[in-house]
């Protein structure tokens, strides 16, 4: 059985090797991130977490959405990705936390929203990990699970095919979210993006 630290080591090794050129590999994604952030319908002064923030590509649009009175947090467990975020100046847009989203260092209900780009496929225990994100968000708050390409395009890029048990298939994701405290309100899976939005249930 894989232990929690095995899961961390695997993720950290994978992303440490990719951190330095992460942004330059995907230079045109900015507008797609801004559009996905808009789906959270954030307001001035809101508190939002970018879960698995990596190099912090979502932090500028998140900051723009909540304004200077809002709180923007970026949590990631790979130090090299956070170091790349600092080099890119993204620590000016939000507070970076070296943290596992499976155990958020936050009070229950303290967030208005969570944005998570490219994260869910890396979560070792999706049900409990999504429950932990729900714990951090107030009732009625929102979650966006995003990827700048859709499932089929991503699988092709990775040299694989999507299988029926794919976590992000609508028929799998909707009940998974329901069991972890979220009600899925929209789902888009097209070549140019994957975006599922959910609301925190009471
Ligand atoms: C595919 S990258 C996406 C990075 C960034 N969100 C983006 O869109 O560019 C996934 C990120 O999630 C982080 N990650 C994976 N599992 C995590 C966990 N349990 N807690 C915190 N971060 C995690 C990885 O370190 C990596 O930086």
């Amino acid at each position: 059985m894989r232990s929690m630290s095995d899961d961390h080591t695997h993720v950290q090794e994978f992303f440490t090797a990719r951190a330095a050129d992460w942004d330059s590999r995907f230079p045109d994604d900015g507008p797609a991130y801004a559009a996905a952030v808009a789906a959270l319908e954030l307001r001035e002064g809101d508190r939002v977490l970018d879960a698995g923030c990596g190099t912090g590509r979502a932090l500028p649009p998140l900051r723009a959405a909540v304004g200077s009175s809002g709180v923007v947090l970026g949590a990631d467990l790979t130090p090299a990705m956070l170091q790349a975020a600092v080099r890119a100046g993204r620590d000016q847009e939000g507070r970076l936390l070296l943290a596992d989203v499976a155990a958020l260092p936050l009070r229950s209900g303290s967030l208005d929203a969570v944005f998570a780009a490219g994260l869910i496929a890396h979560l070792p225990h999706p049900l409990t990990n999504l429950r932990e994100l729900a714990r951090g968000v107030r009732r009625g708050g929102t979650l966006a699970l995003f990827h700048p390409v859709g499932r089929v395009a991503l699988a092709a890029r990775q040299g694989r095919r999507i299988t029926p048990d794919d976590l992000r298939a609508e028929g799998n994701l909707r009940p998974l979210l329901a069991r972890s405290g979220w009600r899925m309100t929209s789902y888009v899976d097209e070549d140019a993006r994957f975006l599922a939005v959910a609301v925190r249930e009471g």
Side-chain angles (χ1 to χ4, degrees):
M1 200 174 99
R2 287 170 70 87
S3 72
M4 203 62 126
S5 56
D6 286 340
D7 293 327
H8 286 184
T9 302
H10 174 75
V11 166
Q12 287 171 331
E13 284 177 359
F14 184 86
F15 287 105
T16 296
R18 288 159 178 78
D21 65 349
W22 186 258
D23 286 12
S24 57
R25 284 173 65 199
F26 312 108
D28 303 321
D29 283 349
Y33 276 73
V37 164
L40 284 173
E41 298 184 358
L42 293 165
R43 288 178 299 196
E44 185 87 20
D46 275 354
R47 300 171 58 93
V48 62
L49 168 70
D50 183 0
C53 66
T55 59
R57 294 193 292 167
L59 298 183
L62 290 170
R63 171 57 67 192
V66 303
S68 56
S69 65
V71 173
V72 177
L73 304 172
D76 204 287
L77 57 71
T78 304
M81 291 295 264
L82 293 177
Q83 287 155 9
V86 172
R87 283 196 300 276
R90 308 247 170 75
D91 55 337
Q92 303 302 306
E93 311 284 355
R95 183 162 161 229
L96 300 176
L97 308 172
L98 179 62
D100 182 357
V101 302
L104 294 172
L106 300 173
R107 278 181 294 112
S108 299
S110 59
L111 298 167
D112 296 293
V114 172
F115 183 82
L119 174 72
I120 185 168
H122 298 286
L123 294 178
H125 309 289
L127 179 67
T128 47
N129 301 155
L130 286 166
R131 272 191 191 141
E132 173 63 357
L133 295 181
R135 183 191 67 75
V137 174
R138 65 165 172 80
R139 186 164 46 164
T142 47
L143 168 71
L145 300 175
F146 171 65
H147 200 289
V149 294
R151 291 189 306 132
V152 172
L154 181 64
R157 185 193 283 175
Q158 296 172 341
R160 59 179 177 84
R161 286 186 168 178
I162 45 176
T163 56
D165 62 351
D166 181 9
L167 199 64
R168 297 189 303 147
E170 185 170 8
N172 298 331
L173 187 58
R174 185 182 296 278
L176 175 67
L177 285 167
R179 288 168 59 213
S180 51
W182 301 97
R183 177 171 50 84
M184 196 162 85
T185 54
S186 71
Y187 181 93
V188 177
D189 180 22
E190 52 197 26
D191 274 358
R193 70 170 175 165
F194 173 90
L195 180 63
V197 179
V199 173
R200 172 77 164 96
E201 295 279 65

